[in-house]
Amino acid sequence: MPALVLLGAQWGDEGKGKATDLLGGSVDYVVRYQGGNNAGHTVVVGDQKYALHLLPSGILSPGCTPVIGNGVVVDPSVLLSELSGLNERGVDTSKLLISGNAHIITSYNVTVDKVTERFLGKRKIGTTGRGIGPAYADKINRVGIRVQDLYDESILQQKVEAALDVKNQILTKLYNRRAIAVEQVVGELLGYAEQLKPYVADTVLILNQALEDDKVVLFEGGQGTLLDIDHGTYPFVTSSNPTAGGACTGAGVGPTKISRVIGILKAYTTRVGAGPFPTELFDEDGEALRRIGGERGVTTGRDRRCGWFDAVIARYATRVNGLTDFFLTKLDVLTGWEEIPVCVAYEIDGKRVEELPYSQSDFHHAKPVYEMLPGWSEDISKAKTFADLPKNAQDYVKALEEMSGAPISAIGVGPGREETIEINSFL
Ligand code: IMP
């Protein structure tokens, strides 16, 4: 019953696509359990590069069944265009399963996301503008539209009416926008129904049966720990639970079924959108990390904010997710620095603080306390084992492991599938 959760240990974009894809060959099911097309994975297979937003990375591994769980929010137009894009490149997508309980991101959710951000002005979250927050808000407010609703026209009509009742008042009276017609939305949604039908399934039943049959199931988190609605840097977060518990609710499996929780950890730190980021760099080092690491959003094309590794955050991720392992990514990006600063604690109002402060105001004022680690200049992209790494790179990894509180079981030394050092097997 090997059930693994793979999630971002920082603010997302840690390189999960590479990790899921690496495991993909030996995994029977890859399941997304939260988020939507706000995520972005780049997966490199041979000389082909794939950018996935909504589909689980396992879609690229023949033999693996990709699953969109009940906790995901699905924009049908994005899903269908992602599928046809892959089909045009010869990728077989016929095994995909979508939970009938997953919620749909409607066109009005996207409109509301954009209008709300504009109204927030300088207080904006910096969302991806994909309608994620409004779709989850509708879910919690019990006016959401689910995938299964596409197959009952009268229910769909009633639900869209209920959802637009209040929204149209807000759009017209508060935001000075035109009202959205119920018929237009219903027609649009019904237009997707037939194309999606072959994929819709009772994914909770299928996944639990798979676990009973000893299949390997990988739960793939979107975004990252610090973007979690409960455990992240609220309100500068996404509207779902990327942390490990989210895999249980978002896929319908009990916590006793999860055997391993792997945190993807970048060898430095990045963040997209607004919100606190203690180790952020505004100098040429930050620019160099962005350039060498290719730190530009797969989904939005926005430049990522870059900074040094933050061990306080890594320790926090270990705790809130119950991490059993780390997958350290992009170590090669740090090649060439004479010394590499690592944040080991914060200074807040003159006091040294070792753990993430629970108070948002304190976190906003946190100044990083750095320890300098010696760098390396050798090319590490061909390293196959830990021993192949230069001594200073080995020491950097060991120091991170000690500070972060879980073993580093794999290290990424380049973007390609094969450019990974496996220390402990994940299966
Ligand atoms: P939303 O998820 O579009 O609502 O955006 C909320 C916040 O999460 C913003 O700061 C986004 O930049 C951030 N965000 C959402 N998805 C990702 C991701 O996949 N990687 C990194 N940041 C993300």
Side-chain angles (χ1 to χ4, degrees):
M1 189 187 64
L4 295 87
V5 180
L6 193 67
L7 51 84
Q10 294 149 319
W11 274 287
D13 307 316
E14 296 89 353
K16 287 182 287 277
K18 178 175 159 69
T20 27
D21 189 55
L22 177 81
L23 287 160
S26 25
V27 167
D28 299 303
Y29 293 80
V30 176
V31 188
R32 275 205 59 186
Y33 55 86
Q34 48 69 236
N37 56 308
N38 49 346
H41 298 312
T42 309
V43 184
V44 181
V45 184
D47 59 355
Q48 295 285 310
K49 202 169 176 179
Y50 299 89
L52 302 173
H53 300 286
L54 182 55
L55 290 167
S57 320
I59 198 119
L60 298 171
S61 300
C64 176
T65 303
V67 180
I68 294 181
N70 55 277
V72 175
V73 284
V74 178
D75 184 328
S77 66
V78 172
L79 177 63
L80 291 171
S81 76
E82 209 161 291
L83 286 171
S84 67
L86 288 175
N87 294 153
E88 275 161 27
R89 292 173 73 179
V91 178
D92 175 18
T93 56
S94 60
K95 287 178 124 186
L96 175 69
L97 300 175
I98 305 170
S99 166
N101 285 350
H103 279 246
I104 286 185
I105 303 178
T106 58
S107 50
Y108 53 80
N109 290 144
V110 179
T111 305
V112 169
D113 194 358
K114 290 184 179 152
V115 175
T116 314
E117 279 284 274
R118 211 167 301 143
F119 254 68
L120 281 170
K122 64 176 176 8
R123 289 193 300 273
K124 70 178 181 186
I125 309 294
T127 72
T128 57
R130 304 296 196 258
I132 306 296
Y136 277 114
D138 279 1
K139 175 178 176 175
I140 300 299
N141 280 332
R142 293 164 292 189
V143 290
I145 312 292
R146 294 190 293 175
V147 169
Q148 59 177 287
D149 298 331
L150 301 183
Y151 306 100
D152 187 329
E153 193 173 338
S154 92
I155 285 282
L156 181 66
Q157 172 89 22
Q158 288 172 37
K159 290 193 173 180
V160 173
E161 265 171 27
L164 281 178
D165 219 17
V166 178
K167 260 176 217 84
N168 272 337
Q169 303 279 338
I170 297 172
L171 282 172
T172 53
K173 295 187 180 145
L174 191 65
Y175 293 135
N176 210 14
R177 304 275 298 213
R178 235 179 285 152
I180 296 167
V182 172
E183 294 313 324
Q184 183 199 321
V185 176
V186 170
E188 196 181 303
L189 291 174
L190 287 176
Y192 301 126
E194 280 315 302
Q195 278 170 282
L196 291 180
K197 203 166 191 175
Y199 306 113
V200 181
D202 183 350
T203 55
V204 173
L205 182 64
I206 293 169
L207 289 173
N208 279 284
Q209 279 171 344
L211 288 168
E212 267 165 40
D213 292 344
D214 252 349
K215 302 282 187 220
V216 182
V217 181
L218 179 68
F219 299 92
E220 172 185 85
Q223 293 80 50
T225 298
L226 274 297
L227 286 173
D228 186 282
I229 185 86
D230 284 277
H231 301 292
T233 48
Y234 190 91
F236 302 102
V237 291
T238 193
S239 299
S240 63
N241 289 115
T243 48
C248 297
T249 47
V253 297
T256 49
K257 300 270 165 72
I258 308 290
S259 44
R260 211 133 170 205
V261 185
I262 304 156
I264 314 296
L265 193 62
K266 209 182 278 192
Y268 51 97
T269 315
T270 60
R271 174 164 203 169
V272 204
F277 178 1
T279 62
E280 182 169 15
L281 294 166
F282 300 95
D283 58 8
E284 63 273 22
D285 282 332
E287 197 41 57
L289 288 174
R290 190 172 303 120
R291 182 172 36 82
I292 303 165
E295 298 298 352
R296 184 175 271 267
V298 179
T299 299
T300 59
R302 288 183 288 183
D303 271 351
R304 296 182 185 138
R305 299 156 66 191
C306 294
W308 299 121
F309 184 82
D310 185 335
V312 182
I313 279 171
R315 277 198 290 281
Y316 178 74
T318 304
R319 192 177 318 126
V320 296
N321 293 302
L323 295 182
T324 56
D325 305 78
F326 277 116
F327 189 134
L328 187 71
T329 58
K330 293 192 148 184
L331 185 64
D332 53 303
V333 173
L334 294 179
T335 301
W337 266 275
E338 214 162 288
E339 280 193 307
I340 308 169
V342 168
C343 169
V344 294
Y346 300 142
E347 191 196 295
I348 302 171
D349 297 332
K351 285 199 200 85
R352 185 181 165 107
V353 175
E354 304 281 337
E355 301 300 345
L356 202 81
Y358 74 87
S359 144
Q360 187 194 348
S361 312
D362 284 351
F363 193 51
H364 274 266
H365 296 131
K367 292 197 188 77
V369 176
Y370 286 118
E371 209 170 87
M372 302 303 284
L373 300 182
W376 59 92
S377 55
E378 300 90 332
D379 174 14
I380 61 169
S381 63
K382 305 282 172 302
K384 294 276 170 262
T385 66
F386 187 69
D388 293 340
L389 291 174
K391 166 94 174 44
N392 286 354
Q394 289 185 14
D395 289 346
Y396 184 81
V397 173
K398 281 192 215 145
L400 262 45
E401 180 172 271
E402 204 163 296
M403 292 172 197
S404 306
I408 291 175
S409 296
I411 305 169
V413 289
R417 245 182 180 179
E418 63 294 348
E419 288 168 324
T420 297
I421 297 173
E422 247 184 294
I423 301 170
N424 308 309
S425 164
F426 288 123
L427 290 166

